[in-house]
Amino acid sequence: MNVMAKAEKKISSAFIYFFGSFGGILFGYDIGVMTGALPFLQADWHLENAASLVGWITSAVMFGAIFGGALAGQLSDKFGRRKMILMSAIVFVVFSVLSGVSPDMGEASAYYLIIVRMLLGLAVGAASALVPAYMSEMAPAKARGRLSGLNQTMIVSGMLLSYVVDFLLKDLPGEWAWRLMLGLAAVPALILFLGVLRLPESPRFLLRKGDEAQARKVLSYIRKNPAEIDQELASIKETAKEERQANQKTSWSTLFSGKYRYLVIAGVGVAAFQQFQGANAIFYYIPLIVQKATGQAASSNLMWPIVQGVILVVGSLVYMWIADKFNRRTLLMVGGAVMGLSFTLPAVINWMMPNMNPMTIVVFLCIYVAFYSFTWAPLTWVLVGEIFPLAIRGRASGLASSFNWIGSWLVGLIFPIMTASMPQEAVFAIFGIICILGVIFVKTCVPETRGHTLEEIEEQGTNHGRVKASNPEN
């Protein structure tokens, strides 16, 4: 026991924050890897004219993630954030390898890969739910936006890594290229597993389970001021005491009770809008988008994903610089407005100028990605990590993650079908309208959380529920 304690004392806050957010690498790698693998897979398995099958192969991970997010969120309330992240890494290793060794059995191969990628999605969805919750519970209120933004930096770094790997492997024989692209996802998963082995559990989870001594020890790793530790412990204990006094047993129906409804709708709504706005249509299909615009083969357009990846990484760094300088709502509304215009203007320009340069749409997509990268992309996960009260955080984070993945799955599934039946400009204009609806949702339904402790945010939601209850006409 003493040896273990001494080992734990060596854990630095930088190590905790780095590996606490490293799960985003897995999330990002598997979002991005199919972008480069798909053209080779299509050619190898002769799927060029099978839009629905291509959509299912691409979106299968997101379909599995719908359930992985909800399941991991619920189990993390029972077993802890750390243990569930470890389990997710193991699942990720196994099914990444199985994706890379898919048998070549004609059409049956596609169904095998769809099933394996659905199971892989369980781990991806779990990571998307667990990492923001863990990071928000470890980070101090004044730096929570910036540190939680590490998750987004990890996600987009994982995407960029997958794009670079795709580009480096593109000259291999087609049947080898896509297999290695998919199978190499096991490497960051193994790194995550080894790193998380040394991570401590969340202090809020420990205190909820009655282990105050260990919770204090963990806080001592990441808080420099003893008075700050005492104040934070007291605040968490007060919240836990109120929960015990109420003898509350949380269930899915609890999430939408009067006390929590406002915050749950806000968090889940932002998570859903992030995906229905269509960002992943770009990330999954940019080579095919460029192919349709220019006529060049998709497999020769693998530099474009790297361009998008660089924009995403730079944007995530910009966000970490401005995260705690601007209100969350302001960034979401400004970003959503520009994103909406970036999607709708190509359709307007094409209507006014039918001979528009086909690459114009790609330029506007880059503008969209730039603003998405430092607004909706990171802030969604920051809000999901900080807006839900402790009593329901695991379930609510899982629900938000699941709605996020429902949007991601549907976009991945229907985009190739939509572009096969209508002009690309019209498809993106539809997503642009959804972006504007997202701005309206943020303005009317989302509270400001910057600079507030998690307990203050909970009180804000509780007070809103009381106001609604006493003024039902509002």
Side-chain angles (χ1 to χ4, degrees):
M1 184 68 180
N2 291 334
V3 174
M4 184 177 295
K6 289 179 181 178
E8 286 188 348
K9 288 182 180 178
K10 295 179 182 178
I11 303 175
S12 68
S13 59
F15 183 93
I16 291 172
Y17 293 138
F18 178 81
F19 277 102
S21 61
F22 194 82
I25 290 280
L26 311 188
F27 184 178
Y29 189 97
D30 220 83
I31 286 176
V33 69
M34 189 54 77
T35 303
L38 190 58
F40 298 100
L41 178 61
Q42 283 182 299
D44 190 23
W45 286 357
H46 308 293
L47 301 176
E48 290 86 349
N49 298 315
S52 60
L53 205 54
V54 167
W56 268 107
I57 290 173
T58 304
S59 65
V61 165
M62 290 77 82
F63 185 80
I66 296 169
F67 305 98
L71 183 62
Q74 187 172 354
L75 291 177
S76 72
D77 283 343
K78 182 176 182 181
F79 299 110
R81 308 342 180 190
R82 175 182 171 276
K83 287 183 181 178
M84 293 309 301
I85 293 174
L86 284 171
M87 288 299 300
S88 300
I90 294 172
V91 172
F92 207 103
V93 169
V94 171
F95 289 103
S96 294
V97 173
L98 290 178
S99 296
V101 297
S102 299
D104 193 349
M105 305 179 296
E107 188 171 319
S109 301
Y111 294 110
Y112 166 89
L113 187 56
I114 289 170
I115 293 172
V116 168
R117 284 177 56 78
M118 282 183 182
L119 295 172
L120 176 61
L122 294 175
V124 176
S128 72
L130 295 169
V131 171
Y134 182 84
M135 289 299 291
S136 68
E137 293 179 0
M138 300 297 280
K142 63 183 179 182
R144 194 171 56 239
R146 185 172 68 255
L147 289 174
S148 295
L150 273 176
N151 180 44
Q152 178 60 22
T153 300
M154 290 294 187
I155 291 172
V156 296
S157 296
M159 293 173 67
L160 180 57
L161 175 64
S162 71
Y163 297 151
V164 171
V165 169
D166 289 349
F167 184 80
L168 293 176
L169 298 178
K170 68 182 177 65
D171 293 325
L172 290 176
E175 66 274 15
W176 282 103
W178 68 265
R179 292 179 184 278
L180 278 174
M181 292 172 185
L182 299 184
L184 285 174
V187 176
L190 184 59
I191 294 172
L192 173 67
F193 180 83
L194 296 175
V196 174
L197 282 176
R198 292 195 64 219
L199 287 188
E201 184 51 85
S202 154
R204 282 176 171 80
F205 176 80
L206 291 169
L207 201 58
R208 188 179 183 188
K209 294 300 182 182
D211 193 348
E212 181 176 346
Q214 187 64 22
R216 179 180 294 275
K217 181 183 292 185
V218 173
L219 282 174
S220 72
Y221 303 152
I222 52 180
R223 306 287 190 269
K224 295 181 180 179
N225 189 339
E228 184 182 0
I229 295 174
D230 292 336
Q231 183 179 0
E232 188 163 348
L233 281 173
S235 180
I236 299 171
K237 286 167 67 176
E238 181 61 29
T239 301
K241 180 180 177 182
E242 292 176 1
E243 293 168 10
R244 288 194 299 270
Q245 288 175 342
N247 194 28
Q248 185 175 28
K249 295 182 179 179
T250 60
S251 63
W252 289 109
S253 62
T254 306
L255 302 186
F256 296 98
S257 66
K259 181 178 180 181
Y260 300 123
R261 184 186 305 119
Y262 172 59
L263 295 178
V264 170
I265 289 175
V268 172
V270 168
F273 267 110
Q274 187 208 42
Q275 291 301 332
F276 282 109
Q277 289 169 339
N280 280 349
I282 303 172
F283 305 143
Y284 300 146
Y285 297 112
I286 186 64
L288 300 181
I289 292 170
V290 177
Q291 174 181 283
K292 189 162 186 176
T294 65
Q296 298 175 353
S299 58
S300 67
N301 289 317
L302 295 189
M303 183 57 73
W304 276 105
I306 295 179
V307 172
Q308 305 290 343
V310 170
I311 293 173
L312 284 168
V313 171
V314 172
S316 73
L317 297 176
V318 169
Y319 169 75
M320 292 181 69
W321 177 52
I322 67 173
D324 295 303
K325 298 179 181 179
F326 296 93
N327 286 344
R328 317 279 198 241
R329 282 162 42 90
T330 300
L331 289 174
L332 286 173
M333 288 189 287
V334 170
V338 176
M339 288 154 54
L341 288 173
S342 299
F343 269 163
T344 54
L345 283 178
V348 174
I349 294 173
N350 189 57
W351 174 66
M352 297 177 64
M353 301 171 56
N355 295 322
M356 176 185 76
N357 187 320
M359 287 301 290
T360 301
I361 190 172
V362 180
V363 173
F364 275 103
L365 292 184
C366 290
I367 296 172
Y368 173 99
V369 171
F371 276 81
Y372 174 81
S373 68
F374 67 87
T375 58
W376 280 83
L379 278 169
T380 294
W381 301 112
V382 173
L383 278 167
V384 165
E386 68 187 4
I387 202 170
F388 300 127
L390 179 62
I392 61 167
R393 185 165 299 137
R395 286 180 185 271
S397 296
L399 183 65
S401 176
S402 292
F403 268 84
N404 186 269
W405 284 110
I406 288 172
S408 181
W409 166 59
L410 286 174
V411 168
L413 178 64
I414 68 175
F415 181 78
I417 300 173
M418 292 173 70
T419 54
S421 59
M422 66 177 76
Q424 285 191 141
E425 294 84 356
V427 176
F428 285 120
I430 293 172
F431 289 131
I433 294 171
I434 297 174
C435 289
I436 301 303
L437 293 176
V439 172
I440 296 171
F441 176 81
V442 170
K443 183 174 179 58
T444 57
C445 300
V446 178
E448 184 54 55
T449 59
R450 180 174 71 101
H452 296 287
T453 67
L454 301 182
E455 286 66 39
E456 287 171 348
I457 295 169
E458 178 171 350
E459 182 64 23
Q460 186 178 357
T462 300
N463 290 338
H464 188 278
R466 288 171 183 161
V467 171
K468 285 290 186 181
S470 60
N471 299 282
E473 69 276 7
N474 294 330

